[in-house]
Amino acid sequence: MADGDTGADRSEAAMWFSSDVGPAAEGPMGWRLDVVTLLAVIGESSIAEHAQTITASIFCLFPRIIPAPQAFLKPSRPVRLPETTAKMTGVYSGVTLDTVGFFANIIHPLDGLQPFAFKVLEITHTDRNNAGGIEASQRSLTKKNSFFSRRSQNGSTAASPPRLPRWGGPPPDDADRSRSDTPTGAAFASSRDVEAAEPKQGITRRITMKEKIQDFTANPTLVNTSGRPAVPATLYSPLHILSVFSVLLTGGIIGFAARWQDGTAIIAVSLVSLASSVVGWASWWRPILMNRSHTNRVPAGDVIIRTREGAFLLIKCTEEVARELYSGTEECQYHVSGRAYRMLMALGTFLLMISVILLGNCKWYTQIFIGVSYIVLNGVYWAMGLVPKKYFWDLSRYNIRDITPPEAANAHTQTSNDPREGVKSFTRTLWFAIRETQRTAWVNRSGAAPDTPQWRKWLAEAEQAAKADNKAWPAVARKDEIMKIREDVEVNNTSPVLDDDTPQRAYDEAEQAVPATQVQHWDRRPNDGTL
């Protein structure tokens, strides 16, 4: 306060915007909290971690204070969801990728797999009537059909729900290769495919009110476009609860500022809350999964994932599930165009700069309230990083079942005193994967084993033992024996397929090392536009 200025000559309106007049102007011994502007922008790393999840529902439009709102101010938006580095190969399709999708890594976190671990999961659609984004057609009932339908319900015969057509497929020996959710022309049923059978009477389930509200928060439209499937953020997500808490906290700050006649704080908090709504609207999106555009018969979508630590994860699924979670791309569909996004970002930046200036001119008690609020929110958002991501997304679309064989469940540990077969190793885990898939082509395509005569012989024997259901086949011991054979003639028991003028290449132990292709770290890969 200037010397000789008691504030008595100021108008009452001016008192609301004076930070040096009134009982709440300064703290004890003239203290002030001008550093509150710094508290408002601290915590960018915690907010950036949850940025996409926060903007995946209508809750991002709520006006509220958010720590480090500049984390949302980006020159461009990601075109797809972040991915995890791992070697993924289709067991039957042969499709090989170097990354695993965002939602797939939430269903089975690859970081949770121990070195040389082995796991088998079966992932199916919970509701086959909407598998792959294609809803089962419902026959429209005429008046005559409706009359007989009501009559049958009153009688002893109950009306049967609409049934899906049965589909075409290969012979029973290759039943696993044609698991599919999409209807085709001919008829087949696999005993091992829980999704291939006709739905039983009474399993038709209506959508609940919670699911309706949840779908509305992700995509508030009443039009059924029958588009590509999407995974919404769960209604009771911790971030949704925190958003509601932030709204209430923001209202409390404004009410407290009105109590102390701090108009500067009211405008500052209102502008920073409006800025969060503006940038939230600009970044509002929903995840879109890939689906099949044709209904022809395709191989099963089983995929196998190899981590850098040598763990293998086998996923038994249909082609529809594989397209949605693994081989397809998970794209971001935004509610605002690219040009509107830049305009809203500019508006949000302007509002944020003005609010930061005003926060430094609030009165003492209001600065305390705002500072404590930002400290609490920063701590809560940091704690959100400890919560598993499965609690933020509604993955009830999929039914996940662990079907790992008991003898392979502890592949990452020592299972016996056998110095070869009882010790955890890459070869033993690779044998477990081959035994479950009963195929070895994916091994070469994924680079899990080098393409040398010795490894070709071992893979041929391993596939033969797997098809014979010989679980006691000594995979590690047999590999050690085969690796001692150094000549192509001894491996294949035939003459080498080489010209007379072609020099014989000396044996090199480096070409026998496994895996043949290492899984590279993500930060060593070029930028692909994801977060």
Side-chain angles (χ1 to χ4, degrees):
M1 184 183 299
D3 295 338
D5 185 6
T6 61
D9 55 342
R10 301 184 188 181
S11 64
E12 185 175 353
M15 296 284 290
W16 279 76
F17 299 96
S18 300
S19 60
D20 58 346
V21 177
E26 295 181 349
M29 296 180 292
W31 273 58
R32 290 189 57 82
L33 284 178
D34 295 335
V35 74
V36 71
T37 57
L38 181 61
L39 294 176
V41 295
I42 287 180
E44 184 174 355
S45 59
S46 299
I47 297 299
E49 182 181 359
H50 302 291
Q52 276 196 301
T53 311
I54 292 174
T55 56
S57 69
I58 199 174
F59 285 81
C60 68
L61 304 182
F62 289 179
R64 65 203 187 281
I65 60 172
I66 300 178
Q70 73 276 6
F72 297 92
L73 302 176
K74 298 180 180 180
S76 61
R77 301 176 293 188
V79 295
R80 58 181 182 269
L81 294 173
E83 299 172 333
T84 303
T85 305
K87 186 66 69 171
M88 182 180 64
T89 306
V91 176
Y92 304 110
S93 64
V95 176
T96 302
L97 300 173
D98 294 328
T99 56
V100 177
F102 177 76
F103 292 114
N105 192 49
I106 293 178
I107 294 176
H108 46 74
L110 298 182
D111 294 339
L113 293 177
Q114 298 293 328
F116 307 124
F118 179 67
K119 196 173 185 179
V120 184
L121 297 179
E122 183 183 59
I123 302 179
T124 57
H125 281 112
T126 304
D127 183 9
R128 285 191 58 250
N129 291 326
N130 194 25
I134 303 176
E135 294 186 358
S137 59
Q138 302 290 339
R139 296 179 57 187
S140 58
L141 298 176
T142 61
K143 294 182 179 180
K144 183 176 180 180
N145 290 337
S146 300
F147 171 77
F148 285 107
S149 176
R150 290 193 299 266
R151 178 165 182 157
S152 63
Q153 291 178 2
N154 295 331
S156 58
T157 305
S160 299
R163 294 180 178 269
L164 293 175
R166 303 193 64 175
W167 319 320
D173 292 340
D174 293 337
D176 281 351
R177 299 182 56 186
S178 298
R179 290 193 297 271
S180 176
D181 283 334
T182 306
T184 55
F188 102 101
S190 170
S191 59
R192 294 186 59 185
D193 181 11
V194 296
E195 293 188 321
E198 292 185 356
K200 297 180 181 180
Q201 181 178 354
I203 67 172
T204 303
R205 183 180 64 88
R206 292 185 177 182
I207 186 171
T208 63
M209 181 59 65
K210 172 181 174 296
E211 292 172 338
K212 290 181 180 179
I213 299 175
Q214 184 171 269
D215 294 341
F216 179 81
T217 58
N219 186 32
T221 176
L222 298 179
V223 180
N224 182 14
T225 59
S226 297
R228 292 162 60 183
V231 176
T234 182
L235 181 60
Y236 301 115
S237 168
L239 288 176
H240 289 174
I241 298 175
L242 183 56
S243 297
V244 175
F245 171 75
S246 299
V247 172
L248 299 177
L249 184 61
T250 303
I253 294 175
I254 295 176
F256 187 84
R259 165 67 177 80
W260 291 104
Q261 297 183 350
D262 192 350
T264 305
I266 294 176
I267 296 178
V269 175
S270 299
L271 289 181
V272 74
S273 301
L274 181 60
S276 66
S277 297
V278 170
V279 298
W281 184 24
S283 304
W284 188 18
W285 67 288
R286 68 171 186 149
I288 299 297
L289 307 179
M290 185 68 69
N291 63 356
R292 293 182 57 195
S293 57
H294 298 281
T295 59
N296 56 311
R297 182 164 52 90
V298 293
D302 295 6
V303 297
I304 191 158
I305 302 171
R306 174 171 60 90
T307 66
R308 183 177 177 84
E309 293 77 17
F312 285 85
L313 176 62
L314 175 60
I315 308 296
K316 292 182 176 291
C317 61
T318 62
E319 179 63 18
E320 286 75 17
V321 174
R323 293 281 182 93
E324 294 177 9
L325 297 177
Y326 299 99
S327 58
T329 56
E330 298 166 329
E331 301 175 358
C332 302
Q333 184 183 62
Y334 292 95
H335 295 265
V336 174
S337 63
R339 178 173 297 181
Y341 169 79
R342 292 180 177 86
M343 295 178 60
L344 292 174
M345 284 291 110
L347 177 59
T349 303
F350 175 76
L351 294 175
L352 180 60
M353 291 188 297
I354 297 299
S355 62
V356 168
I357 295 174
L358 295 177
L359 283 175
N361 292 276
C362 298
K363 295 183 179 180
W364 164 254
Y365 290 139
T366 310
Q367 285 184 335
I368 292 179
F369 199 175
I370 295 176
V372 171
S373 299
Y374 274 111
I375 292 175
V376 171
L377 289 178
N378 264 305
V380 175
Y381 274 106
W382 178 86
M384 288 292 177
L386 305 177
V387 180
K389 293 183 179 180
K390 64 181 180 180
Y391 295 106
F392 298 97
W393 300 94
D394 180 23
L395 295 172
S396 60
R397 175 183 179 85
Y398 304 104
N399 182 29
I400 301 98
R401 192 163 62 97
D402 190 346
I403 56 173
T404 307
E407 62 274 8
N410 297 319
H412 58 286
T413 61
Q414 182 173 349
T415 56
S416 66
N417 295 327
D418 191 331
R420 290 182 175 178
E421 308 302 330
V423 180
K424 63 179 181 179
S425 65
F426 183 87
T427 304
R428 188 179 73 166
T429 306
L430 178 61
W431 156 241
F432 289 156
I434 294 174
R435 192 177 66 186
E436 288 301 312
T437 60
Q438 297 186 357
R439 279 169 172 77
T440 57
W442 63 265
V443 178
N444 299 112
R445 292 192 62 87
S446 65
D451 189 16
T452 61
Q454 287 83 355
W455 276 102
R456 285 197 296 268
K457 181 175 180 61
W458 184 87
L459 290 175
E461 293 184 5
E463 182 174 349
Q464 183 179 7
K467 292 183 176 180
D469 198 19
N470 183 10
K471 297 183 178 181
W473 185 67
V476 180
R478 186 58 185 148
K479 187 264 297 183
D480 294 341
E481 295 174 0
I482 295 177
M483 290 303 120
K484 296 178 182 178
I485 306 176
R486 300 191 173 188
E487 297 297 335
D488 192 19
V489 179
E490 299 180 15
V491 173
N492 297 318
N493 198 20
T494 58
S495 60
V497 186
L498 297 174
D499 297 333
D500 296 337
D501 297 336
T502 304
Q504 292 284 346
R505 185 166 58 88
Y507 176 81
D508 189 354
E509 294 182 354
E511 66 179 357
Q512 309 294 346
V514 290
T517 304
Q518 293 285 351
V519 179
Q520 301 297 327
H521 286 297
W522 179 258
D523 54 4
R524 295 182 181 178
R525 300 172 55 83
N527 184 20
D528 62 352
T530 60
L531 286 180

